[in-house]
Amino acid sequence: MSDQSTATSARFDILAIMNEFPQTADTLLVDTYLRDTPAASSRVFRVYKGTPPHYHRGSDEYLYVLSGRGTFWMEDPATEAEFQPGQLLFFEKGTVHALPTILEEPVVFLSVDTPRRDPKDIVFVNSADGSPETFIASKRG
């Protein structure tokens, strides 16, 4: 796919992007950026392993479930609930969240971050759980 980061309009083949993700990964996630502007970033990403509690300092996040099933919680582990395709998860910057369990693979989300989320903006509640480098690998479109 060509670089769409500065275009004023674009079309994306989300199914083709989903099919390009590898079957396994060394990181928790692999993503492909669709747009990356100061106002917002949008990505498609696949989750390979449960993600520990973490938050983002600089942006709100909208996660639309494209495929797969698992459990997700926001703010408090007591809110853990199953997600499935067609659902939208939203949380504001600074909200601790986690995806502890993958029930059906592949788990793929469409993400919109407002304003743009720096790929290094990931803070694990327990720093031993990881770093930005172990969290996500990016495939630029």
Side-chain angles (χ1 to χ4, degrees):
M1 178 178 0
S2 63
D3 181 4
Q4 301 285 341
S5 62
T6 59
T8 57
S9 61
R11 293 175 194 243
F12 302 97
D13 186 339
I14 300 300
L15 291 177
I17 292 168
M18 289 173 61
N19 289 331
E20 292 175 1
F21 288 122
Q23 292 301 309
T24 61
D26 293 332
T27 54
L28 298 174
L29 313 176
V30 173
D31 72 359
T32 296
Y33 272 77
L34 306 175
R35 299 274 297 153
D36 193 10
T37 68
S41 53
S42 57
R43 305 169 288 130
V44 175
F45 68 86
R46 180 172 174 178
V47 182
Y48 292 89
K49 302 169 192 155
T51 60
H54 65 280
Y55 62 94
H56 311 290
R57 288 186 177 110
S59 60
D60 297 345
E61 191 164 14
Y62 298 80
L63 297 177
Y64 183 76
V65 183
L66 295 168
S67 71
R69 292 178 28 258
T71 63
F72 199 92
W73 62 263
M74 297 169 272
E75 299 182 43
D76 185 306
T79 68
E80 185 173 345
E82 189 173 322
F83 64 81
Q84 63 186 2
Q87 293 182 324
L88 179 69
L89 307 171
F90 166 76
F91 42 92
E92 292 183 350
K93 65 183 172 184
T95 301
V96 175
H97 56 282
L99 189 161
T101 308
I102 293 175
L103 299 171
E104 180 182 310
E105 296 185 284
V107 172
V108 181
F109 291 97
L110 170 66
S111 176
V112 176
D113 304 300
T114 59
R116 173 194 184 269
R117 184 170 77 76
D118 184 313
K120 302 273 187 207
D121 180 10
I122 172 106
V123 180
F124 288 97
V125 171
N126 177 356
S127 62
D129 283 338
S131 67
E133 293 75 24
T134 62
F135 181 68
I136 198 162
S138 291
K139 296 174 49 174
R140 290 289 172 162

